[in-house]
Amino acid sequence: MLDKTVFALSTPVGGAIAIMRISGENARPLLERLFTGRIAHRRVSYGRIVDENGEIIDACCAAFFEAPDSYTGEDMAEISVHGSLAVARRLAEAIESTGLAEKAGPGDFTRRAYLNGKMDLAEAEAVMDMVAASAERSRRAAAMQLEGRLSAVIASLYERIKLACARLANAMDDDTGEAELDEAALAAEFTAAANEAEELKEGGLRSRILREGARVAIIGSPNVGKSSLLNALIMRERAIVTAIPGTTRDTVEEQAEIEGLPVIFVDTAGIRETDDEVEKLGIERARREADYADLVLWLVDGTRAIRKEDIDVLSGVRGKKTAAVITKTDLDRAVYPDADGLINGLPAFPTSAVTGEGLTALRRGMAELLLPENPHSESAFPESIVTNSRHIEALGRAADALFAAARLIVSGETDAAYFEARSAMDAAAQILGTEDPGEELVDAVFSHFCMGK
Ligand code: GDP
């Protein structure tokens, strides 16, 4: 994508001025074609935008930045015109008709900045948080992240794991038996790193949940009672309850308070494989919602045995805090938790949206799952430096892998321990976006950006 020059309006239309950004090697030729003023690195000049037929579109100021000293690391231009829709539209048409640039997608400029090494992934995400910051506290957290404070902490955690990994690898490679492996010391080091990762995660989780609310996704096959449960939990009639499967094609979001915690419920379309195109869109969206959820409520219809489609829904959200909710307990019951209170290995909560049975226990269970009581975590609020759910998750994966590594070392399974430790390193590296995070992850990060950033 970097060989293309892209453009986008970086300001909302309707203000006094509108700023059109252009990035890529055609930025200069484009300005030369359309702009009458002077073009020089880091200079703002006044001139006119004239289309290819010689018609003046607007008087404007244009700034030019030469690679690599620009936001994206590429040649860049920023044209400030008057902020009306008519001007912005004509300018976009004029740019596009040169054939030198194409419309940018969401976050394309910051994505380029990341791909060109101007910032790491965590810093790029801080840019997004900064743009979206509605509260002073969010702005402060984003500013810290943008300054690289998070990156520094993660980089030092990464180094710590790497060192321990190297010690482990050394002992594994050594056939002479001279490099005696001090299992206890190494296991202690992995445990310490795991605790560090977990503390960062918990602090981040706590602060983000208290600040923005916990995202709870309600998933399940059509008709299991998702909308009804949502309504019962928030005691309103916002989600339309119907008996026709698959009508909730979009997601419905609701804010509520659960045991004193701010919670945002996401009611998703029934996740299941389908050939229906419209429904498929809803389903993909649902998977994504569950992806960004702090807690997933997996609903199973209490009146019928669990089916393959129920299990399929669940398999789409692996690696998430998940609770099973048995619905419709006021009717003839076909599903019961096992002796440990579990269904499919998940804590189970029998409920009825009609009588309200089980809702209090579900609320308590949700709060407990979202914020397990932890004596250390109080101090992490409110100035935790980890705020982004992607980072929180990666830290959780790192912590789990490191705890596993420590256990495996003690039990003499050094190969497996090494494997776990490497995956912890990968998780840390993914936060920074170093060591090729993969296109999918980068896409996921930048798809949440707004246009023109
Ligand atoms: P969704 O498709 O998963 O959102 O399911 P709905 O919430 O639309 O519910 C499907 C059907 O089950 C509707 O006819 C509801 O009235 C019914 N239903 C949902 N929850 C309960 C419950 O707790 N008890 C009873 N008796 N019926 C329920």
Side-chain angles (χ1 to χ4, degrees):
M1 66 164 279
L2 290 179
D3 53 349
K4 302 224 169 68
T5 297
V6 293
F7 73 94
L9 201 61
S10 285
T11 49
V13 178
I17 57 169
I19 299 176
M20 186 70 79
R21 272 178 146 181
I22 303 160
S23 182
E25 57 184 17
N26 286 341
R28 182 192 273 273
L30 230 166
L31 272 191
E32 284 166 353
R33 288 263 280 272
L34 301 176
F35 179 59
T36 60
R38 203 176 145 211
I39 303 162
H41 179 47
R42 284 204 170 144
R43 245 193 97 113
V44 180
S45 359
Y46 178 76
R48 291 188 164 67
I49 289 289
V50 180
D51 74 11
E52 305 246 79
N53 303 320
E55 189 185 336
I56 294 173
I57 295 178
D58 195 5
C60 72
C61 283
F64 182 72
F65 305 87
E66 214 165 82
D69 296 321
S70 72
Y71 180 71
T72 57
E74 305 170 334
D75 277 0
M76 256 190 103
E78 286 186 5
I79 307 173
S80 308
V81 289
H82 293 99
S84 73
L85 179 61
V87 173
R89 193 185 280 153
R90 271 303 297 280
L91 177 57
E93 281 167 11
I95 291 171
E96 214 166 10
S97 69
T98 61
L100 291 174
E102 53 189 63
K103 285 199 183 89
D108 265 358
F109 294 95
T110 307
R111 178 199 285 253
R112 282 167 182 239
Y114 160 67
L115 291 175
N116 289 320
K118 300 295 281 189
M119 54 179 79
D120 65 37
L121 207 50
E123 286 160 347
E125 286 168 307
V127 171
M128 176 172 67
D129 292 346
M130 193 65 115
V131 174
S134 56
E136 169 58 13
R137 212 174 249 168
S138 326
R139 183 205 59 76
R140 214 158 47 209
M144 286 200 299
Q145 193 170 321
L146 197 54
E147 288 301 312
R149 268 192 57 188
L150 171 68
S151 303
V153 169
I154 302 297
S156 104
L157 175 66
Y158 179 85
E159 285 304 316
R160 182 175 194 176
I161 307 170
K162 195 165 104 182
L163 263 175
C165 259
R167 274 167 62 196
L168 183 56
N170 240 347
M172 280 158 62
D173 285 347
D174 181 58
D175 296 332
T176 63
E178 275 168 22
E180 187 79 4
L181 181 61
D182 184 348
E183 281 104 357
L186 203 49
E189 179 56 18
F190 277 122
T191 305
N195 280 325
E196 189 183 331
E198 186 137 286
E199 258 168 49
L200 284 168
K201 180 193 93 171
E202 288 296 328
L205 202 58
R206 196 170 195 91
S207 106
R208 197 174 52 75
I209 285 177
L210 293 175
R211 196 178 55 238
E212 295 168 12
R215 293 184 73 82
V216 176
I218 300 182
I219 65 162
S221 325
N223 260 353
V224 293
K226 296 183 292 301
S227 312
S228 305
L229 180 76
L230 175 63
N231 280 332
L233 281 169
I234 63 182
M235 288 172 292
R236 269 198 281 156
E237 286 292 318
R238 164 83 154 70
I240 304 150
V241 184
T242 82
I244 309 158
T247 44
T248 330
R249 291 220 154 112
D250 222 332
T251 59
V252 178
E253 288 196 11
E254 280 293 347
Q255 298 201 20
E257 212 177 285
I258 299 287
E259 299 286 300
L261 293 179
V263 166
I264 302 158
F265 282 105
V266 189
D267 177 20
T268 56
I271 302 181
R272 57 173 183 158
E273 299 305 329
T274 169
D275 292 332
D276 178 331
E277 278 305 314
V278 184
E279 226 173 53
K280 212 178 235 166
L281 280 179
I283 287 165
E284 265 160 32
R285 217 188 149 122
R287 278 217 177 106
R288 209 161 60 215
E289 275 309 331
D291 252 5
Y292 280 85
D294 300 303
L295 175 67
V296 176
L297 298 182
W298 174 57
L299 271 54
V300 292
D301 192 325
T303 64
R304 57 164 176 78
I306 294 175
R307 298 178 186 150
K308 178 179 175 296
E309 61 182 272
D310 298 314
I311 303 293
D312 288 348
V313 166
L314 185 61
S315 60
V317 295
R318 222 169 272 138
K320 285 279 168 187
K321 274 185 192 168
T322 307
V325 178
I326 303 167
T327 63
K328 312 183 191 179
T329 54
D330 56 297
L331 301 176
D332 278 347
R333 183 97 174 259
V335 184
Y336 292 89
D338 65 19
D340 297 322
L342 306 177
I343 286 188
N344 240 40
L346 301 169
F349 298 90
T351 61
S352 164
V354 171
T355 64
E357 181 195 345
L359 292 182
T360 302
L362 176 59
R363 283 201 181 89
R364 292 211 178 109
M366 287 170 61
E368 182 58 35
L369 284 164
L370 281 166
L371 286 189
E373 283 312 318
N374 177 342
H376 302 297
S377 45
E378 206 63 51
S379 61
F381 182 77
E383 297 292 356
S384 169
I385 57 167
V386 182
T387 54
N388 177 304
S389 47
R390 188 181 75 82
H391 303 165
I392 290 170
E393 245 170 65
L395 283 164
R397 278 203 311 277
D400 290 348
L402 289 166
F403 280 127
R407 276 195 307 271
L408 289 162
I409 287 173
V410 173
S411 62
E413 298 166 72
T414 42
D415 283 357
Y418 184 75
F419 176 80
E420 292 290 349
R422 287 297 311 197
S423 74
M425 272 171 73
D426 288 346
Q430 274 192 359
I431 295 177
L432 303 174
T434 47
E435 301 201 357
D436 187 14
E439 200 165 334
E440 206 174 306
L441 171 67
V442 175
D443 280 348
V445 166
F446 288 99
S447 66
H448 292 268
F449 269 63
C450 52
M451 288 294 192
K453 189 67 224 181

